[in-house]
């Protein structure tokens, strides 16, 4: 019965609102209620007459600057407010409404219908009830009206009076943060997070800290992510989301065993509370058993249309047969060359019939466009034709596609990147078996193998770091000119693992690349390795080389409040910035978009310089 009333109420209120908007006069509404209203409430004229004045009293009127014009509720013996001429007790007072009428209903419906300047003016009036803003914003978001949803939800959180937020404000807050992210309003996103963290209610502060932690993880800023997690734990110590976030954080940090241990701790703690629903409890149990696999499965399930094709791809990669041999030769000059075969070209051509983009020819880690909007078409086709993966060109484009989407998620490495790495490693073994020589980027079709290698190194760096470094080192041996800029990546990984002697050996410039000179990141990595190995004089000399190479780098690293650097590789680097120095110092390097390895090396050197400046000043 209640469901019938809700449906009738919404239909009647929508019709009443259209009648009101004709001239915003009460008689117009009552005329509509008597003529058309009964059909919307099961033919009940008394109900239609009794309901119309209730709705009028809460309807915002543009002619009154969006104020309402509430009617005085009449006494039992006074004339009825529906203008029937009868006493209230013999008219609307004798009608019992089938259910309640929310006091924000007409505002919510108005916000749903208004457009353009009318919506803007209504929101600017500040008179919309918070619950109406919440519901209208959620409806707009659910129906794909992203601009309208953002506009309405912004008004909900811009009021300043956080204490009046509805209890259901948490999903609205998360939707608004997501809208800012999707639509590129990063400053607005950060401002909203800051405002909630400073003034918001406790439950929203916890959610904001959780989102902040996830944002830092996306940016590979693990220190800031850890700090945000600790603050979130203090704000909401019993939030089940914290178990999920801590598992992600520990996996990003490379602590797989600790991630499982902490997941088991959260499961025991939250299970004792007894207030979790069965799905939440099962998720925590799965997380405790295998954090990486659970997070991977959750991600796949969240992909909606792609969940089944991605699961099929995982199954395919797990059962891939041994990779076929390639056509590889070594020239008299000692240059290793891979040439595609007719079969490989045919397989690649069939793949390109369904895969919509190709690799950028002069970029080591780029596709011409985003292939994922059409993934529901090409993923099933690939799973139906596993032989396509016999062609390195297909493996290359698949690796690039996977890296752009899943390369920052450590738990996706075992099932998506490691199997492809095994395939590539077999091909690289065959290349190395042809004899000593160099696999140069510009020779023959070598770029296919090198670009695939770089994509897999990046894709595995967080979730299979040892495997990532081994592949990168193998590529460095074959391509001793380091045309991919892998030396800095491997150097960073070695330093992070405390393998300082290996890092120092790697930082020594090979004779073949002396003409180009070392990259700035390699110089800084060498200085840090020497310092850790307790060789301060040589470390000071390495710093002097860094200073000579780029006069701005050390000054920026030691600054108390360095200017933030632009995150876009497309933006021109400012003169004097560290990013500009990196570009000038190694103009032929091919940096990986979004790869933070240079920033991590810089942070390590900066920490040393600030900690022990006196030790190095004399050098």
């Amino acid at each position: 019965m209640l469901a019938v009333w809700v449906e009738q109420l919404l239909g009647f209120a929508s019709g009443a609102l259209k009648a009101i908007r004709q001239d915003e006069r009460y008689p117009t509404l009552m005329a509509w209620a008597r003529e058309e209203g009964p059909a919307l409430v099961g033919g009940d004229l008394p109900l239609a007459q009794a309901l119309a004045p209730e709705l009028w009293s809460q309807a915002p009127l543009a002619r009154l600057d969006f104020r309402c014009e509430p009617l005085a509720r009449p006494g039992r013996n006074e004339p009825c407010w529906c203008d029937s001429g009868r006493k209230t007790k013999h008219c609307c007072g004798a009608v019992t409404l089938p259910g309640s009428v929310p006091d924000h209903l007409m505002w919510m419906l108005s916000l749903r219908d208004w457009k353009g300047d009318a919506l803007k003016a209504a929101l600017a009036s500040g008179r919309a009830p918070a619950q109406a803003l919440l519901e209208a914003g959620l409806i707009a978001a659910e129906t794909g009206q992203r601009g309208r949803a953002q506009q309405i939800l912004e008004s909900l959180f811009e009021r300043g009076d956080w204490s009046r937020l509805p209890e259901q404000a948490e999903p609205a807050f998360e939707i608004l943060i997501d809208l800012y992210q999707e639509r590129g309003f990063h400053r607005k996103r950060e401002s909203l997070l800051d405002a909630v963290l400073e003034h918001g209610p406790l439950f929203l502060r916890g959610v904001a800290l959780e989102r902040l932690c996830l944002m830092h993880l996306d940016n590979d800023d693990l220190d800031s992510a850890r700090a945000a997690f600790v603050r979130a734990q203090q704000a909401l110590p019993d939030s089940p989301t914290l178990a999920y976030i801590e598992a992600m954080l520990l996996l990003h940090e490379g602590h797989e065993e600790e991630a499982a241990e902490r997941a088991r701790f959260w499961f025991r703690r939250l299970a004792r509370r007894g207030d979790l629903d069965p799905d939440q409890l099962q998720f925590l149990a799965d997380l405790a058993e295998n954090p990486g696999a659970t997070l991977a499965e959750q991600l796949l399930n969240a992909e909606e249309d792609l969940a089944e094709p991605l699961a099929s791809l995982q199954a395919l990669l797990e059962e891939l047969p041994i990779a076929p041999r390639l056509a590889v030769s070594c020239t008299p000059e000692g240059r290793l060359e891979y040439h595609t075969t007719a079969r490989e070209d045919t397989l690649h051509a069939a793949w390109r019939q369904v895969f919509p983009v190709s690799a950028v020819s002069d970029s080591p880690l780029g596709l011409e466009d985003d292939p994922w909007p059409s993934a529901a078409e090409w993923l099933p086709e690939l799973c139906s034709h596993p032989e396509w993966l016999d062609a390195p060109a297909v493996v290359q484009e698949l690796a690039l596609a996977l890296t752009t989407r899943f390369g920052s998620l450590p738990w996706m490495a075992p099932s998506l990147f490691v199997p492809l790495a095994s395939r590539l490693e077999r091909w690289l073994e065959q290349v190395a078996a042809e004899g000593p020589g160099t696999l140069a980027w510009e020779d023959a079709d070598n770029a296919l193998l090198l670009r695939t290698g770089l994509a897999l190194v990046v894709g595995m760096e967080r979730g299979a770091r040892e495997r990532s470094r081994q592949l990168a080192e193998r590529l460095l041996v074959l391509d001793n000119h380091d045309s991919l800029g892998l030396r800095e990546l491997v150097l960073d990984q070695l330093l992070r693992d405390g393998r300082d002697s290996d890092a120092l050996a790697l930082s020594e410039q090979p004779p073949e690349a002396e003409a180009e000179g070392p990259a700035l990141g390699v110089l800084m990595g060498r200085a840090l390795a020497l310092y850790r190995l307790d060789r301060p004089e040589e470390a000071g000399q390495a710093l002097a080389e860094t200073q000579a190479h780029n006069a701005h780098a050390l000054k920026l690293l030691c600054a108390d409040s360095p200017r933030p650097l632009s995150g876009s590789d497309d933006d021109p680097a400012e003169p004097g910035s560290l990013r500009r120095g990196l570009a000038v110092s190694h103009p032929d390097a091919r940096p990986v978009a979004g790869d933070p390895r240079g920033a991590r090396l810089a942070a390590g050197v900066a920490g040393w310089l600030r900690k022990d400046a006196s030790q190095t000043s004399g050098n």
Side-chain angles (χ1 to χ4, degrees), residues 22-60:
Q22 293 180 25
D23 59 6
E24 295 193 342
R25 302 295 175 184
Y26 182 63
T28 303
L29 171 63
M30 291 312 304
W32 171 87
R34 293 187 177 95
E35 295 170 6
E36 302 180 36
L40 299 172
V41 287
D44 193 335
L45 175 60
L47 177 58
Q49 290 186 152
L51 187 54
E54 300 281 357
L55 298 178
W56 170 267
S57 294
Q58 61 165 270

Side-chain angles (χ1 to χ4, degrees), residues 347-466:
L347 293 173
H348 185 227
W351 156 258
R352 289 305 315 280
Q353 292 295 314
V354 296
F355 190 73
V357 299
S358 60
V360 179
S361 59
D362 58 350
S363 169
L365 204 63
L367 292 168
E368 292 176 341
D369 202 353
D370 182 6
W372 289 100
S374 59
E377 287 78 40
W378 58 262
L379 272 173
E381 288 293 325
L382 175 61
C383 294
S384 299
H385 299 86
E387 69 277 6
W388 289 351
L389 292 174
D390 289 349
V394 176
V395 176
Q396 166 202 246
E397 290 168 358
L398 177 61
L400 290 172
L402 293 174
T403 299
T404 60
R405 183 138 182 150
F406 304 113
S408 63
L409 306 176
W411 43 91
M412 300 305 294
S415 62
L416 294 181
F417 295 102
V418 171
L420 292 177
S422 298
R423 202 166 191 76
L424 177 66
E425 285 165 350
R426 174 172 168 81
W427 285 332
L428 295 180
E429 288 173 2
Q430 181 188 340
V431 172
E434 290 296 320
T438 182
L439 188 72
W441 172 279
E442 62 274 8
D443 291 348
D445 297 310
N446 294 350
L448 291 178
L449 300 178
L450 293 173
R451 187 185 284 115
T452 304
L454 179 59
L456 294 174
V457 165
V458 173
M460 295 188 298
E461 186 182 7
R462 298 186 185 185
R465 193 164 62 190
E466 182 68 23

Side-chain angles (χ1 to χ4, degrees), residues 514-562:
E514 284 291 349
E516 298 178 4
L520 180 60
V522 172
L523 290 173
M524 291 191 295
R526 183 189 307 170
L528 183 57
L530 287 166
Y531 171 74
R532 289 178 173 180
L533 293 169
D534 197 23
R535 296 161 63 175
E537 291 186 4
E538 295 173 82
Q541 293 173 2
L543 276 185
E545 286 186 63
T546 303
Q547 182 75 8
H549 192 74
N550 186 299
H552 305 287
L554 299 184
K555 181 179 178 181
L556 283 171
L557 288 175
C558 295
D560 292 331
S561 300

